[in-house]
Amino acid sequence: MSSTPPLSGPQLSDGTPPDPRARGPFAAIRRALPAGEVIRFLMVGVSNTIFSFLLYSACVIVYSHLFPHRGKPLIADIASITAKPICITVAFLCYKHFVFRTHGNYLKEWLRCFAVYGVSTPAELIILPIATSIFLHTAPLRTSAPFLAGIVNSVLIALYSYFAHKKFSFKR
């Protein structure tokens, strides 16, 4: 009767050892990131980004009709604030069950997830109106300004969120 020996040495969050053969300028990053987890994060990230952008866009459209006298930069911020709690909750569930595969700790991890995105909220409230204003000054992009600003914001937040979630929200 043979048993497999327990893994010794450093392990990544998904239980796999880091790739000791990783070489080159990005070797430290490749050794620290389990490929499967990163791929799952990118898959969930793309789907969450699409969901978040669609919900944000729907809010922009609704608020543009409800408050036509308000400026588009303000509407972009209000739409973001409205969509954010729903989007964070959907992202949390996907990250928890599909990416980081943690068990239990729902409230603690959910609150940490909100904290990660909460840190980025002030940046969003600056990025969205500035990017919207920039796009408003480009004639062909004027009608799409708040939507394009939402895309710029999504890309910047995605870069930040992987490491914040890995090291804080879903740390083991």
Side-chain angles (χ1 to χ4, degrees):
M1 191 161 137
S2 70
S3 65
T4 55
L7 291 173
S8 62
Q11 292 183 350
L12 299 171
S13 64
D14 67 351
T16 61
D19 181 5
R21 299 172 310 213
R23 303 276 185 258
F26 301 107
I29 294 171
R30 286 197 309 273
R31 282 192 299 268
L33 301 176
E37 183 178 277
V38 172
I39 290 169
R40 290 189 311 268
F41 181 83
L42 290 172
M43 290 169 54
V44 168
V46 167
S47 63
N48 283 337
T49 299
I50 291 168
F51 172 76
S52 297
F53 183 70
L54 290 174
L55 185 57
Y56 163 79
S57 297
C59 290
V60 166
I61 291 167
V62 168
Y63 291 139
S64 293
H65 288 297
L66 290 176
F67 309 112
H69 57 286
R70 299 288 182 196
K72 291 217 184 273
L74 178 62
I75 287 173
D77 271 352
I78 294 170
S80 176
I81 291 168
T82 303
K84 185 170 277 305
I86 298 166
C87 296
I88 290 173
T89 301
V90 169
F92 160 74
L93 292 170
C94 292
Y95 291 142
K96 179 169 184 58
H97 294 291
F98 186 67
V99 178
F100 300 108
R101 299 176 179 172
T102 61
H103 302 284
N105 300 320
Y106 276 87
L107 182 60
K108 181 180 177 182
E109 290 175 348
W110 184 66
L111 291 173
R112 284 181 171 187
C113 202
F114 263 86
V116 164
Y117 286 112
V119 168
S120 68
T121 297
E124 271 185 58
L125 296 177
I126 295 168
I127 293 167
L128 284 168
I130 290 173
T132 300
S133 295
I134 291 169
F135 289 126
L136 282 171
H137 288 79
T138 307
L141 305 176
R142 189 167 293 152
T143 58
S144 302
F147 305 105
L148 295 171
I151 292 171
V152 169
N153 181 66
S154 292
V155 169
L156 294 174
I157 298 304
L159 294 172
Y160 153 79
S161 71
Y162 173 76
F163 291 103
H165 287 310
K166 181 168 180 63
K167 300 296 183 186
F168 181 70
S169 300
F170 300 99
K171 76 177 185 174
R172 296 178 195 201

